[in-house]
Amino acid sequence: MPIPLDPAGSPSMKDYHSENRCTWCDGCGDYGIWTAVKQALVELKIPPHEVLMCFDVGCHGNMSDKLMGYRFHGLHGRVIPFAAGAKMANPKLPVLAFGGDGASFSEGIGHLVHGIRSQYPIVFILHNNGNYGLTTGQASSLTPTGQPMNTSPNGIPEQTLNSMDFVFSLEPTFVARAFSGDIAQLTQILKSAIGHRGFAFVDVLQACPSYNKFATHTMLMDRVYKVEDEGHDPTNKENARRIAIDTSKRISTGILYRNEEVPNFIERLVPRQNVKTTPVEEVVLQDVTKLMEEFV
Amino acid sequence: MPIPLDPAGSPSMKDYHSENRCTWCDGCGDYGIWTAVKQALVELKIPPHEVLMCFDVGCHGNMSDKLMGYRFHGLHGRVIPFAAGAKMANPKLPVLAFGGDGASFSEGIGHLVHGIRSQYPIVFILHNNGNYGLTTGQASSLTPTGQPMNTSPNGIPEQTLNSMDFVFSLEPTFVARAFSGDIAQLTQILKSAIGHRGFAFVDVLQACPSYNKFATHTMLMDRVYKVEDEGHDPTNKENARRIAIDTSKRISTGILYRNEEVPNFIERLVPRQNVKTTPVEEVVLQDVTKLMEEFV
Amino acid sequence: MVRTSLKIVGASGQGIDSIGEVVAKALKRAGYCVFGYREYPSLIKGGHASYQLDFSDEEIRSTETTVNIVIALNHHGLEINVPDLKVGGILIHSTESWKFPKEIETLIKERDLKIIEFPVEKILKEMKAKPILGNMLLTSFVWAILGQKADALKEMVRERFAKKKDVLDVNMLCIDTGTAEQKKHDDLHVPLPKSKKKWAEHLLITGSKAMGLGAVHAGVRLYAGYPMTPSSPLLSYIAGIQNETGMVIKQAEDEITAAQIVSGAMLMGTRALTATSGGGFDLMSETVSLNGIIENPSVFVLAQRPGPATGLPTWTGQGDLLMAIHTAHGEFARCVMAVSDSTDAFHLMNDAFTIAEEYQTPVIVLTDKQIAEALYTEAPYNQKKAKIKRGNLVTDPEKLKKLKSTDRYNPDAKDGISPRWLPGSLAATYAAQGDEHSADGTVDESSSNAIKQMDKRLRKMAALKAKLPEPLLYREANDKWLVASGIDTDLDVLLIGWGSTKPVVLDALQTFKPSNLQAAYLHYTYLWPIKTDFLQSLALKAKKIVVVEGNATSQLSMLLKQEGVRIDHEILKYDGRPFFVDELQRHIEETLSTAVSPRINSGANNRSS
Amino acid sequence: MVRTSLKIVGASGQGIDSIGEVVAKALKRAGYCVFGYREYPSLIKGGHASYQLDFSDEEIRSTETTVNIVIALNHHGLEINVPDLKVGGILIHSTESWKFPKEIETLIKERDLKIIEFPVEKILKEMKAKPILGNMLLTSFVWAILGQKADALKEMVRERFAKKKDVLDVNMLCIDTGTAEQKKHDDLHVPLPKSKKKWAEHLLITGSKAMGLGAVHAGVRLYAGYPMTPSSPLLSYIAGIQNETGMVIKQAEDEITAAQIVSGAMLMGTRALTATSGGGFDLMSETVSLNGIIENPSVFVLAQRPGPATGLPTWTGQGDLLMAIHTAHGEFARCVMAVSDSTDAFHLMNDAFTIAEEYQTPVIVLTDKQIAEALYTEAPYNQKKAKIKRGNLVTDPEKLKKLKSTDRYNPDAKDGISPRWLPGSLAATYAAQGDEHSADGTVDESSSNAIKQMDKRLRKMAALKAKLPEPLLYREANDKWLVASGIDTDLDVLLIGWGSTKPVVLDALQTFKPSNLQAAYLHYTYLWPIKTDFLQSLALKAKKIVVVEGNATSQLSMLLKQEGVRIDHEILKYDGRPFFVDELQRHIEETLSTAVSPRINSGANNRSS
Ligand SMILES: Cc1ncc(C[n+]2csc(CCOP(=O)(O)OP(=O)(O)O)c2C)c(N)n1
Ligand SMILES: Cc1ncc(C[n+]2csc(CCOP(=O)(O)OP(=O)(O)O)c2C)c(N)n1
Ligand code: SF4
Ligand code: SF4
Ligand SMILES: [Mg+2]
Ligand SMILES: [Mg+2]
C-alpha cells in the first residue's frame, strides 16, 4: 500500500514519545523493537496520527501505552484479523500488528495462516522470544523440545514447529528476519515492510533474559548474519526458503523474500475496483430502492 | 499404537451395519469413505466395541449414525483435540477422527497443526471435497482461487492453501492420499494408518457432485495414479513431499510418507513411562498425604 | 378473515422452494397477503422438507398446523402429510397406483379429502420436456385450482426467462398444460376471497434479506462472516449483491476472525457487521467483551436455532436470550434487541448501529431461523425513517485539534459517553486499550481508576436504559391489532413476548376473539437493559400475565421476575418449530381456563403440563 | 482476638514472594494462624507489588487495610506505603538518606510511626554476600522484631538447602546478622500473643495448590490447560508434580483445545480437568454446550479476574457468575459452584466430579485470583470424606452385555439420568451425538423427539436441584462463627455471599460484635441451580438482607431476585481487590444505619452511593 505522506509533517522521535515508562525486564529485546518501530515511522515521515498499531496480549503488548500513534491492545492471539479489519475499513492508513510467538503459533495460529494467504496489506511483527513471557515462561510452539519450562518440567513432548518452513508453505510475499539486538537493521526492514504491497511477515528474534535461556542475546548475536552482506537476492524464493529454514549453523537476517507482483486482498476485491473512497468515508444512508425491486 | 485384537471376535461388515439410511447426495464420495472405513476395521479384526470414531460437523459428520462402533459427533472444527483427549485417556483403543476441509483448514486449522506436531497416535481422515458441503457450497481454503461459490460470486480473493506443503512443514510421520472412488486402495491405506505409531494424516479427495464442479469424480479419476505402482519409497521424505505437493499434471495416491521411528505423544510423556494402566483405569481416590507434606 | 393454505412437501433439493417461491410471489402479485414457512432437515439432498404458504386478503403472518392443499413431490408426502389436510382438503401427487393404509383411508373419508394423482412424468414425456419442468406443471395446476388466471403466472415466467426464448416457450407450454389439466377436474376448486390491490405492491421477503437491505441502508460497508445456519442466508444475500453495493465482503476463516475483523473495521470508523448462530456466537463472545472495554461500537447478529451444540441446526428457537445478555466475561454495557419480522429486521439494523455508536458499546441483535427464512408480505420499507447518527464521534477538524488524548476515555464524561475519534484523524492519539486503563488508554491498575472506569462504562448502561423505548403494547381497535399507548379497562389477559412470537401472537388474537375478552399483547424489542415500568403499570390491571416464548426454560420470564414482575403463565415451545397460530390460540385459551398450571410446554403435540 | 500484620512491598521480581512465604511458613510453624495476600501488576519485573501477612493465635482468614510493619524493598514503598501503617507502626527500608514530603512527615508524627533504615547493601558488602541474600537479612530482622527465635528460621533454611552446604552457611550467617541488627534497636518490638501449637500442624497453602491436591485426590488423571492468570498456578502446580502423580499433562495450543481434550478424555472414561479465566472460558463455552447435549460429565474451573477483556489480569473479582450460569448456547443442565478458600478448593473437586458423573453434565467451578493465590492456614485435609461416585456408569460385564444402544439416551430414564458406558466396553455401541438425537444417538429432528430429549436433559436439572444442599448458615456460638441449622431469634441482619467473600465476612463478624446485634451469614456454594427455600424462611425473620459480592452489578442479587427473594442492601466491590476486613466491617455497619441507600459500591476509597 502506498503510504499517505503528510506533506506538512516531518515527525521526529519526540512525536512518538510517551510519558509512560517501559516496564519490560532489563535486557528485554522488546526495548529494541520499540525503538526500531518508532525510528522506522519517523524515517518514513509518518506522523503518529497517520498510523494504527495493533498489539496482541503478551509482554510485547505492554508497548501499547509506551509510544504515541493510534494504538489498539486487544485479545491474546487475535491481533491479525483485527488489524486486517481496520485496514479494510481504511486502506489509506498503514496498519502494523505486533504479536508474540505464543499468540501467533498457538492461540492465533489460524489467523497467521489465513492472514498470509489472504495477503492483507499489513505488517506483522513477530516478537519471537521462544516462550510465553507474560505468563511467566511457559513453552511456546517454538520452544525447543526437551527444554524444561514452567508447566513442562520435563520439556515439552511436542515437536518444535519449524516456523519458517511453515510460513513459506503459505506462499508469503514478504518474509524478513531480524534480531532485537540490531535496531538499525530492524528499522530498515520495517521501513520496507511498511512499504510492501501485501502481508509483510517480520520475524524478530527477541531476547528474553527472564525465561529464554536457550537463545539468549549473546547466543543470537554470535549466530546472526545479514543476508544483504552475502548478496542474497530476495526475489529468489527457493533460496530464501532454504536460508530461512536452516538455522543449524548460522541464522540469516534481513529481507529474505519479497515479491511485489502479487495483488493484495483489497486490490483483489472485485466490487472495490476503481472505488476511490474508503469504507470509512462511505458511511451514509444508502438508497435501497433498486435492491428492493426484486422482492415486489 | 499396537491394536488390541479381540481373539474371539472376527467381526464382519454386518457388525458395522446400521439401520439408519445414508443421507448423502447421489454420487457423494462419502459413500466410498464410509465403506472403506468399515472394511478396514473388519479386515483388521477390530470389533465395533473396540474402536472410537470421532466426527466433525459437515456432510461427512452425517456418517456418525450410519455405522456401528462407539462414535462421537462433536463441534465444527474441533474433532482432532477431542479424539486426542480420548486417546490419551485410553491408549489401548484405536481412535479415528474424521473432518472436512472446511473444518480442518479454517475453523480448526490450529488443531490440525498442533495435532501433527504433537504426534498423537490417532488417524485423521480428511474428507476433502474442496468446499463447505453441509452449509451449501461455500469456498474452503482448498477451493481454487477464482472459482465462484456460494457467498463468493466473484471467486475467493484469498490464495488457495497448498495443503500438502503445509502438512509436510509440520514434520508429519504418516501422510497418505486417497480418492473416494477407489475403495480398495483407501481400505489398505486406512489399515496402515490405524497401525501407525503416531499421527496418521489421510487426505481423501472426495467427490461432491452438488457443489464441487472443479474436481469431480471423473476429473479425479482421470488424474490419480498409485505411487505403489511406480515404486515410490514411502520412507523417502523429500520425494514424498515433492509428489504430494505437485498435482499439476497427475495426482499421487497411496501412502506417500511413513516413518515409524518417531515416538508418539503418549510414549514421550515422562511420567507415563512404564505405566501399564490407562488413565481410564486409574480413576480411584488417590492418597495425597505425601503431597501435603510440603505445605506443613 | 379467511385463511387459505397450501404446502409443498418432498425431498430437499426436489424444487420445493422454487414452487413455493413462485406461487407465493404470484399470489402476492395477484393481491393476496402471503406468509411462507420452510421446514427442512440438515441435509443437502433427500430428507423430508416442506414449504407452506398461508394467504389471505387480509394481513397474515403465521402458519396453521393444517392446510387446504398438499402437493407431494414424492411418496413420503403420501405417507406423512395426509393428516395435515383440513376437511375438504386436496392432496396432489404423482405416485402411480399408491395405496393408503387403512387408517389413512378412514381419515380421508372422515375429512372428505380429495386425492388427486397428477401424472407429471407422463405429461412431461408427452411434452418431451425435461423433468425440471414438472415444477412448473404443478405450479400452474395448483394456480388454476386457486382460481387464478394463468396470465399472472406467465408474466412472472416471462420476467424471469426474458433472455432465454426457448426456456420461456416450454415454460409457457407447461403453464397452458397445467391449467388445462385442472379443467379436467371440475370439482377441484379452492376459491379465494377477493384480492386487494395493495398487497401487489408489497414486498415478499425473508427476514434475512430484509436485514441485509437494512444493513446496506444503514451504511454498513463491510461484512465479515462464517457460514452457519440460520445466519448464512444473510451472508449469502449480502455477498450476492456485493457487486451492486460495492461492499467489502470477507468470508472469514472462523467466527472469531469475523468478529475481530468487524471490530477492527468499526474502530477504524466504518460500519461493519457480522452474524452467526449460537455456537459461533460462543466463539465471538470474547470479542464482545473486548469491545465492551475499548468502548468500540459493534453489532453482532445472533440468529438462533435450537441447541445445545449442533442441536437442530435447520430449525428455530428462542433459546439464546439469556446467553446474549450474560455471555462474554466481565461486566460492561451492552444492548440486546430482537427483531420480530422482516420489517423489524430492516429497520432495527440502523437502530442497532445508532445505539452502538451513541453508547460506544456492543449491540447484539437476536433473530432466529423462523424470521431468517420465512417469507413475509410487507409494505416497501420507508427510507425516510432512518438517520445516520454517530453519537459523540468527532470529525470536525477544528474540534479534533482541541482534543486531548485523555478525552477518549474521560471517566467524567456525561453518561459515561466520552468523545470518540478515528485513527487517521489529525488529533491527539490514544490507545484503545483492552487492559483496564486511564483516560488516554494507559494501563492503570489502581483501585481508584478501576472504579472510575467501571462506573463510566456502566453509566452508559443506565443512560441507555433511560433512553430505550418501553415495550410496545398491542390492543385491538376496529378489528385490527395496533400499537396503543395504554389501556383503559382491566385486562383478562396480558400476553408478553419477544422476537418471532409477535406476528403469530397477533394473528392468534386476531383470529380468536371471544367478544367479551379483554386482551393485550406486550412486545419486547429491547431486552437488555430491560424496562418494566410500563409493564408493571399494566400488570396492576391484568388478571393473567402470560409469557409466550420459544424455549424450554422461559428466559424472558426469568428476566422479568428478576425485576419483580408477576408472571402467571408461560406458554413455551421448544421442538424447533415456530408457534403455529391455531396451536397458540388453543394454548391461550387453556391459560384462560386453567387456574393452576403455570407452564404450558408446547410441542407439535401440544402437551400441557 | 489480636491481629498482627506485615507487608512487604517493592518491585515484582525483587523477592517479595520469597520473603513473604518464608515468614508466613515460619510464623505458622511457630504456632500462628497466617493469612497471606499478594498484590502484583501484570508485569514480569518492576511495578509495585506487595505481600501482606495477617496473623494471630486465633483463626484468621482476611486482610486488613492497615498493617503493623511495612518492609519496603525499594523507594516506591516509601512513596506509597506509609499511610498503610497503623498507629505505632514500623517501616523498614534501605534507601539511603530518604526525605519524606511534608504531609507524610506529619502523618508519621500523628501516627507515631517508626521509620527504620536497615542498610542491607552495606551489611551485605561487609559480609561479602550476594544481593539475593538481602532477603534473608530482612527476614531475620523482621523475625526478631516479632520476638521470634532465630532457630525456627534456621530450621526452615536448613530444610531448604540441606544439600547445598555453602548456600546454607551463608544463609545462617545472614540470620545471625539480621537478628543481631534488631538488637541494636531496643524499642523495635511487635509482640505477638502466645502461640498455639495446633497451627504448627496446619497446612499453609494457596487455593490453587489445594485445588490441585483435591483434583489428584479425586482421581483426576489428565489435566489439559492453557496458561491464563489466575488459573495458571493450578496448571503449574499440577504440571510440577506430574512425575509424582503420573498424570497426563497437556499444555494445549489454546483453551478450546484444552476443553476438547478433557471432554474427549471424560467421554473415554477417565477424570480430566481444565481451568481457565474469563477470556479463555468464553472460548470454552461452545464445548460446555457440547457436553450438555452429549451428556458428557465434565468439570471446568473458571478462575475469575476483573474483565472485560484483559481487564485487571492479576487482580481479583467475582464478575463472572451470571456468565458461568448462562454462557454456552442452548438450554441444558449444568451445575455452577464456587469455592471459598483452600479447604473448599480441595473438597469441592471431588464433589464437582461426583455431580458431573451423576448427572452426566458439565459442572463449572468458580474460583478467583484471591483464592488462587492467597495463603490459607488450614487443617490437613480429611481424606476420609471423599468417595469416588460415578453415577449411572455401567462397568459390570454382565450388565454391559444386556445394554441396548438405545439405553444410552433413553428419554424415559428416571430423572433423565440414563446409563452411561465407556468406549471399549464389550456392549452395544452408541453415538455421543452433538445433533439432537434419539435414544441411541441417531440424529432425530422430529418434534416429538426434540421435546423428549430436551425434557430428559432438563429433568436432570430438576433432580440436581432437589439433591443439592441448601446454602450454609453461619451463626455465632461461643464467640465462634459456625454452621448452624437455623435461627431461633429474629435477625437484625442476614448477610449473603458466595466464593471468596465468605472468609472475610466471617472475620468481619467475628471482629465486629455489637453485643446486642443479631446477625447471620448465609453462604452459597452451589449457585446454579439455585435454592432459595431455606433463604426465604430466614428472610421472614431478617430485618435487613444484605448481599456482599465482588462485582459491580450484584449478580447474586439478580439471581436471588429472580426467585422472588427480597434484597435490602448490596455491598459491592469491583476494584480488583478483595474485601478487606475492616473495610467490610465499616460497610456492614453502614447498611445497619442506612435506611435508604440500597447499594454500597466499595473500592479502596470506600465510596458509598
Ligand atoms: C484467551 C486468553 N488466553 C490466555 C491468556 C493469557 N496470556 C496472556 S499473554 C500469553 C502468552 C504470551 O506469550 P507470547 O504471545 O509469546 O507473548 P510474550 O509475552 O512472550 O511476548 C497468555 C497465554 C489471555 N490473555 N487470553
Ligand atoms: C462454530 C460453527 N460454525 C459454523 C458451523 C456451520 N457449519 C457446519 S458444517 C460447516 C462446514 C462444512 O465444511 P467441511 O468441513 O468441508 O465439511 P463438508 O460438509 O464439506 O463435508 C459449517 C461452516 C457450525 N456448525 N459451527
Ligand atoms: S519476561 Fe521476557 S519478554 Fe517479558 S519483559 Fe521480561 S525479558 Fe521481556
Ligand atoms: S453436498 Fe457434497 S459432500 Fe455433502 S452430501 Fe452432497 S455431495 Fe456429499
Ligand atoms: Mg513469546
Ligand atoms: Mg468440505
Side-chain angles (χ1 to χ4, degrees), chain C residues 370-386:
Chain C
Q370 171 69 353
I371 300 168
E373 303 204 351
L375 271 178
Y376 296 82
T377 305
E378 291 176 345
Y381 303 131
N382 179 354
Q383 295 189 63
K384 299 256 158 68
K385 250 170 108 165

Side-chain angles (χ1 to χ4, degrees), chain C residues 469-498:
Chain C
E470 288 280 354
L472 286 178
L473 179 71
Y474 286 84
R475 282 283 277 160
E476 199 189 1
N478 306 322
D479 207 33
K480 286 233 170 305
W481 285 80
L482 300 171
V483 174
S485 59
I487 47 171
D488 36 23
T489 54
D490 281 359
L491 291 173
D492 295 306
V493 61
L494 174 64
L495 297 161
I496 308 179
W498 63 280

Side-chain angles (χ1 to χ4, degrees), chain D residues 10 96 125 129 185 269 281 303 333 393 415 421 476 484 543 567 601 607 609:
Chain D
E96 250 178 273
K125 214 178 267 167
H185 306 264
F281 194 79
L393 178 68
D415 291 335
W421 63 102
E476 199 187 3
K543 250 188 241 153
I567 306 292
N601 290 330
R607 299 165 329 109
S609 69

Side-chain angles (χ1 to χ4, degrees), chain B residues 24 30 56-61 74-78 99-105 107 126-136 138 140 206 208, chain C residues 44 226-229 232 254-255 276-281 283 305 309-310 313, chain D residues 286:
Chain B
W24 296 300
D30 283 334
D56 210 280
V57 175
C59 286
H60 61 279
L75 299 177
H76 174 55
R78 313 299 173 196
D101 52 318
S104 312
F105 287 93
E107 185 85 70
L126 177 70
H127 293 242
N128 188 350
N129 60 4
N131 82 97
Y132 287 16
L134 193 64
T135 46
T136 67
Q138 293 86 359
S140 80
Q206 177 222 324
C208 168
Chain C
I44 300 308
Y226 190 77
M228 185 165 193
T229 310
S232 308
D254 60 22
E255 289 84 355
T276 184
S277 187
F281 195 79
L283 298 168
R305 66 192 210 190
T310 309
Chain D
E286 194 189 8

